Amino acid sequence: AQKITQTQPGMFVQEKEAVTLDCTYDTSDPSYGLFWYKQPSSGEMIFLIYQGSYDQQNATEGRYSLNFQKARKSANLVISASQLGDSAMYFCAMREGRAGSYQLTFGKGTKLSVIP
Amino acid sequence: GAVVSQHPSWVICKSGTSVKIECRSLDFQATTMFWYRQFPKQSLMLMATSNEGSKATYEQGVEKDKFLINHASLTLSTLTVTSAHPEDSSFYICSARDPTGSGNTIYFGEGSWLTVV
């Protein structure tokens, strides 16, 4: 079974609108962390936002917020007021375990295209 | 600024030759670094965990003799693709965790595009 599932291969959003990118995860470990990364065509992985499994509140970072629904095992990324520069691939990733391993498991990604 | 630097960003090599990619942590000491491979339009797949001063831990299906990893210092890990073939052409990217930070301080290098001709 896939550990990270991103069901939207591609998404379109109008500039200045909000968009939600879906991510569901599967783990039996009570301690885990969820990440969202942006990957432009240059290839670099740009960290956007992080949510720990024990965090009580949903994470927010500027225009990015994470809609964390633990019971549903979902960690959707919400981008508000989309900009043309937001067009890129977006990856959801998970690390499992409280300590030690910081290797990440990635979803297949969602290609976001912002339309002017 | 970047806290993990990768070099080279682009490399083209002939089939049968070897190529080395470096991953450096600039502002912190990393006892563990990770190497990922990404084929076009696909996700990142973990290849191996690079451990400072000891042998790397390879993921299932990754040939350790083909992808040599050396982590000789706390700020440098190298990935050497030996006897490269065109099917090794891919995007290789490393990551490292800042041990002084929280659980989300995982930084990625800029990545290296390898083309084997």
Side-chain angles (χ1 to χ4, degrees):
Chain A
Q2 284 189 353
K3 290 203 170 186
I4 296 287
T5 302
Q6 293 180 254
T7 58
Q8 307 153 314
M11 287 281 286
F12 289 90
V13 64
Q14 202 76 39
E15 193 179 5
K16 300 181 184 178
E17 300 274 306
V19 63
T20 298
L21 306 183
D22 295 341
C23 173
T24 57
Y25 60 92
D26 182 28
T27 180
S28 58
D29 198 317
S31 178
Y32 53 89
L34 298 157
F35 300 74
W36 276 94
Y37 287 90
K38 172 184 177 182
Q39 187 180 43
S41 56
S42 59
E44 59 184 314
M45 296 292 284
I46 302 170
F47 168 76
L48 297 178
I49 198 166
Y50 168 82
Q51 180 85 43
S53 58
Y54 295 114
D55 293 342
Q56 295 295 316
Q57 293 186 326
N58 287 350
T60 59
E61 291 283 351
R63 295 187 297 112
Y64 305 107
S65 60
L66 201 150
N67 184 0
F68 183 46
Q69 298 190 39
K70 198 169 184 177
R72 294 185 178 184
K73 292 190 174 180
S74 74
N76 299 339
L77 175 70
V78 180
I79 305 174
S80 62
S82 298
Q83 302 172 356
L84 295 178
D86 294 335
S87 294
M89 282 292 291
Y90 287 80
F91 289 96
C92 179
M94 176 174 66
R95 66 156 183 84
E96 294 173 277
R98 181 181 292 275
S101 175
Y102 283 87
Q103 62 195 43
L104 298 178
T105 302
F106 286 84
K108 293 186 176 182
T110 297
K111 184 175 182 179
L112 178 66
S113 300
V114 180
I115 305 166
Chain B
V3 295
V4 174
S5 177
Q6 231 177 294
H7 178 81
S9 300
W10 297 82
V11 57
I12 300 173
C13 70
K14 289 186 177 180
S15 187
T17 62
S18 296
V19 61
K20 181 186 288 186
I21 301 169
E22 294 185 346
C23 179
R24 293 182 185 272
S25 57
L26 301 180
D27 299 325
F28 60 94
Q29 294 183 329
T31 56
T32 306
M33 292 184 176
F34 303 94
W35 286 96
Y36 295 83
R37 178 170 56 187
Q38 185 181 28
F39 290 109
K41 298 185 180 181
Q42 294 190 24
S43 186
L44 279 74
M45 298 298 292
L46 180 68
M47 297 176 66
T49 302
S50 174
N51 305 300
E52 188 270 334
S54 65
K55 291 182 179 180
T57 306
Y58 290 83
E59 294 300 299
Q60 192 173 10
V62 178
E63 299 175 59
K64 61 179 68 176
D65 294 330
K66 180 168 186 60
F67 298 100
L68 300 179
I69 291 172
N70 184 277
H71 196 152
S73 78
L74 285 170
T75 58
L76 174 65
S77 174
T78 60
L79 168 67
T80 301
V81 183
T82 63
S83 187
H85 290 286
E87 56 264 31
D88 298 326
S89 298
S90 184
F91 183 67
Y92 294 87
I93 191 166
C94 68
S95 74
R97 175 184 169 259
D98 182 350
T100 64
S102 62
N104 61 330
T105 52
I106 300 173
Y107 301 102
F108 280 83
E110 303 95 329
S112 300
W113 295 92
L114 170 63
T115 301
V116 184
V117 297

